[in-house]
Amino acid sequence: MLTGTPKIRGYIATRQNRIVLLYRQTNKVTYLVLLEYNRKNINLRIGSRFYGRIYPNRCDLSLDGKYFIYFAMGRRPHRQDGQILSCWTAICMPPTLTAQAIFFHGDTWGGGGQFLDDKTIIVLPGNSDLDIQVGYRFDKYEVKIGSLPNEGWASNRDWRLCETQVGRYGDRYPIPNWVKTNGKTCLLQNLKSCVVDGSRVKHGVGEYNFYEYEVRDERYGIAHRLNAECTWAEFDNLGRIVVATGSRIEFYPDARRIVENAPMEKFDIANLLGSEMKNHRSQ
């Protein structure tokens, strides 16, 4: 039986027309999905299925879209050198989650990583036994063990911190907001005020539900908050607005089409998975 509401978090490759999606089908099952696009076509490929939990705010996509780094807690612990390890940071090649490099962690206090540029990956050690003095290498990258940028909220590549909300704990614990533009339209990504309790994230608030989004376009006098169920919004490399709601991914050419709820292209991953299962049973 499926439990939990389907959710999506996306990651944009800035130097290739690729988008990687984490599709959380249930609270125990996540799929890795690869979108490749140009001005005429958008192709979607459903890749690996993962049993366990992947933490979306500790994942990132390389600038060229070749590699994806993720932090996961598996359904079954891994035994290594007499230790039982259930969490790890891995680097894979979408749309598969098969680890090309892996760092095991003893708990969820650490883990995850980001591609800082074309030559550097940073991995958060937390309470694991990763040696911060050792130099790790992966492909063309130097892997550094240290703190994640942006206080670990998300990669937020090319997003600019524009303002902070004053939450219930005052100026001491501001709540960050980010903005990004394609030159015509602005997207605002706001950390929900319900997420932060003092300097800590509240228990019971899932990482897919951290943000709310708003689109603004002064040309048309538009200031429109996206659906409350929206878990991710971004610009692709062609300047189109990509919006994830539930199990759906929708592409919009501009803000007016969002207000009119008239996407130029849309996909429902739940329906695509259902079709795949139906075709498999009929063979």
Side-chain angles (χ1 to χ4, degrees), residues 105-206:
H105 306 278
D107 51 43
T108 60
W109 286 100
Q114 290 182 15
F115 292 87
L116 295 187
D117 50 42
D118 281 325
K119 297 181 179 179
T120 311
I121 298 170
I122 191 162
V123 172
L124 183 67
N127 292 331
S128 72
D129 58 355
L130 293 178
D131 189 343
I132 62 175
Q133 305 301 323
V134 172
Y136 296 94
R137 301 287 309 179
F138 171 74
D139 196 351
K140 63 180 180 179
Y141 297 95
E142 177 186 4
V143 181
K144 296 182 178 181
I145 309 301
S147 300
L148 299 181
N150 302 311
E151 299 182 353
W153 289 118
S155 61
N156 286 305
R157 187 170 291 131
D158 299 326
W159 289 78
R160 179 175 59 84
L161 185 66
C162 61
E163 59 184 5
T164 55
Q165 305 174 54
V166 178
R168 60 181 293 191
Y169 289 86
D171 294 335
R172 186 176 179 184
Y173 301 113
I175 301 171
N177 299 333
W178 295 271
V179 65
K180 189 174 185 178
T181 180
N182 63 0
K184 299 178 181 179
T185 303
C186 287
L187 269 175
L188 277 75
Q189 176 182 263
N190 302 329
L191 187 68
K192 293 180 180 178
S193 58
C194 67
V195 169
V196 180
D197 185 357
S199 62
R200 300 175 62 85
V201 175
K202 282 186 178 180
H203 291 293
V205 180

Side-chain angles (χ1 to χ4, degrees), residues 16-176:
Q16 290 289 335
N17 292 342
R18 299 184 115 203
I19 302 172
V20 166
L21 307 173
L22 285 175
Y23 171 59
R24 178 189 176 274
Q25 184 186 40
T26 73
N27 58 1
K28 296 180 180 178
V29 178
T30 300
Y31 286 85
L32 194 65
V33 179
L34 175 63
L35 276 170
E36 297 179 296
Y37 60 92
N38 54 40
R39 294 193 180 278
K40 295 183 179 180
N41 300 300
I42 302 171
N43 297 314
L44 182 149
R45 282 193 288 159
I46 298 175
S48 297
R49 178 174 56 188
F50 180 80
Y51 293 96
R53 181 177 179 182
I54 297 178
Y55 293 74
N57 284 345
R58 306 194 212 178
C59 302
D60 197 19
L61 183 64
S62 62
L63 275 65
D64 60 8
K66 182 178 180 180
Y67 295 116
F68 183 68
I69 187 167
Y70 64 95
F71 177 65
M73 180 168 60
R75 187 171 60 174
R76 294 191 180 96
H78 174 84
R79 295 180 181 273
Q80 178 176 289
D81 299 329
Q83 292 182 299
I84 299 177
L85 305 173
S86 58
C87 304
W88 63 90
T89 299
I91 303 171
C92 67
M93 298 178 68
T96 68
L97 283 166
T98 303
Q100 305 296 312
I102 192 164
F103 302 89
F104 286 103
H105 306 278
D107 51 43
T108 60
W109 286 100
Q114 290 182 15
F115 292 87
L116 295 187
D117 50 42
D118 281 325
K119 297 181 179 179
T120 311
I121 298 170
I122 191 162
V123 172
L124 183 67
N127 292 331
S128 72
D129 58 355
L130 293 178
D131 189 343
I132 62 175
Q133 305 301 323
V134 172
Y136 296 94
R137 301 287 309 179
F138 171 74
D139 196 351
K140 63 180 180 179
Y141 297 95
E142 177 186 4
V143 181
K144 296 182 178 181
I145 309 301
S147 300
L148 299 181
N150 302 311
E151 299 182 353
W153 289 118
S155 61
N156 286 305
R157 187 170 291 131
D158 299 326
W159 289 78
R160 179 175 59 84
L161 185 66
C162 61
E163 59 184 5
T164 55
Q165 305 174 54
V166 178
R168 60 181 293 191
Y169 289 86
D171 294 335
R172 186 176 179 184
Y173 301 113
I175 301 171

Side-chain angles (χ1 to χ4, degrees), residues 243-269:
V243 177
T245 306
S247 61
R248 303 187 306 279
I249 285 287
E250 299 172 337
F251 286 76
Y252 295 89
D254 53 48
R256 286 193 298 183
R257 293 280 288 269
I258 289 182
V259 175
E260 296 167 359
N261 193 26
M264 57 183 290
E265 189 74 70
K266 59 183 178 180
F267 301 89
D268 191 316
I269 299 176

